Amino acid sequence: MIPFNVPPRTGREEEYVAQAINSGKICGNGRFTKECTEWLESKTGCRRVLMTTSCTHALEMAAILADIKPGDEVIMPSYTFVSTANAFVMRGAVPVFVDIRPDTMNIDEQLIEDAVTPKTKAIVPVHYAGVGCEMDVILDIARRHDLIVAEDDAQGLMASYKGKPLGTFGAVGCVSFHETKNYSMGEGGALLINDESLIERAEIVWEKGTNRSRFLRGQIDKYTWVDCGSSYLPSELCAAYLIPQLEDADKINEARLACWRMYYDILTPLSEKGFIELPFVPKHCTHNAHMFYIKTKDIEERTALIAHLKEHDVMSVFHYVPLHSAEVGRRVGRFNGEDRYTTHESERLLRLPMYYGLKTEHIDEVCRIIADFYSR
Ligand SMILES: *Cc1c(COP(=O)(O)O)cnc(C)c1O
């Protein structure tokens, strides 16, 4: 069987987790959390990193920091994971969905401005598959309309747009370390803070609404409840699991990119014959091989191909059901403009096995099974 995903692992995780256990400190914000934080700060160049229990929670922190109030509108793609919208809906916001570009599956930057109203508060671009959204255009719109940009960078660690790391363009960027992502601590994430003025409040929100971070730095002599907040700190056990992967980040990234290029090269003849479409990466984007997907003719062909792959013990998956068509999306959100590509493209997309440690003979086999499907 060729699984769709295998959680990343370097082989040193047990050693690090054992160190965390034996250190006598397993709650958050210890040595391993600090090491993750420092790695992310130096790798991305953002002003401050706060490790979190998930990307979902980093997005919730972003919504609090953006001061989202009931009735505020937040612009985002409909083609994304539920957390992108949920984090803002939980603060009473109306998600305003904008169509995607069919080439990158990212929000169509040319359609964003039309969705701006006096109630618009934020834009949440999602860097799908670790391919950057058109941040120059998005930041320009945000500047002119005084909007906050919070990047859903769940899939984008180690990827960049015009040479600058994803997650460092908006006021904040939200990273995921879920087991399906390139680097993982099981469940986990990080808030990358780029707007310096948000740092102090972010630390408070992160520490259950208290000024404990200032207390730990010796800036005040007791800490109290000063704002709303929650428990967003991951345990040291999780941070210890992540650290060896961050140490090996370049190696993991290279291995994933090699798999991606191999899929791309082997499947190119099928795409040239017009059977499938391959992913597109704009020249100014450096991606991180978060996923390899193909596009079939339509949903029926995709269903048949998934079954064909499964018959040959290859697991492939599709996503997302567009949020505007889901029960909650219909109730609390709205789609601005026409759904030209979101639904249509989402029904054609199929993700192939992609993980650190995927063997070249397995990629060969997956591609052979796909070619066999189209030769019939
Ligand atoms: C994985 C993912 C999330 C959620 O990440 P968690 O760490 O599981 O909360 C959010 N947005 C996108 C685009 C994702 O791919």
Side-chain angles (χ1 to χ4, degrees), residues 183-258:
Y183 310 92
S184 180
M185 53 206 271
E187 302 277 356
L191 183 72
L192 312 185
I193 307 169
N194 305 304
D195 179 345
E196 200 148 10
S197 70
L198 296 177
I199 295 176
E200 192 172 334
R201 182 152 189 242
E203 288 179 341
I204 290 168
V205 170
W206 187 58
E207 283 268 31
K208 297 113 180 153
T210 72
N211 50 4
R212 188 162 180 273
S213 292
R214 295 194 66 196
F215 169 74
L216 292 175
R217 281 196 295 265
Q219 293 166 325
I220 43 176
D221 55 15
K222 63 177 188 294
Y223 75 88
T224 56
W225 184 18
V226 292
D227 204 333
C228 70
S230 190
S231 181
Y232 292 122
L233 288 73
S235 142
E236 277 286 281
L237 300 177
C238 299
Y241 188 94
L242 179 63
I243 268 293
Q245 293 166 44
L246 298 183
E247 287 171 353
D248 286 2
D250 289 317
K251 186 177 159 195
I252 292 172
N253 195 43
E254 260 319 303
R256 294 187 73 108
L257 284 166

Side-chain angles (χ1 to χ4, degrees), residues 243-284:
I243 268 293
Q245 293 166 44
L246 298 183
E247 287 171 353
D248 286 2
D250 289 317
K251 186 177 159 195
I252 292 172
N253 195 43
E254 260 319 303
R256 294 187 73 108
L257 284 166
C259 291
W260 194 97
R261 286 190 288 261
M262 190 173 168
Y263 268 128
Y264 196 95
D265 292 344
I266 303 177
L267 292 173
T268 291
L270 275 184
S271 118
E272 283 170 353
K273 285 181 201 143
F275 288 120
I276 58 172
E277 277 173 41
L278 296 177
F280 170 72
V281 181
K283 284 230 153 41
H284 51 274

Side-chain angles (χ1 to χ4, degrees), residues 299-311:
I299 194 167
E300 286 77 27
E301 188 178 285
R302 182 179 73 180
T303 306
L305 179 55
I306 292 171
H308 180 78
L309 283 161
K310 191 151 186 242
E311 261 170 49

Side-chain angles (χ1 to χ4, degrees), residues 52-59 79-84 126-128 152-155 174-181 186-189 290-291 319-320 351:
T52 60
T53 31
S54 64
C55 176
T56 301
H57 281 165
L59 287 161
Y79 183 72
T80 183
F81 189 61
V82 287
S83 296
T84 316
V126 179
H127 305 299
Y128 184 72
D152 182 333
D153 190 32
Q155 308 179 2
C174 304
V175 175
S176 175
F177 296 115
H178 185 260
E179 76 164 30
T180 53
K181 301 304 197 289
E187 302 277 356
H290 171 59
M291 67 174 87
H319 70 181
Y320 302 104
R351 300 175 63 185

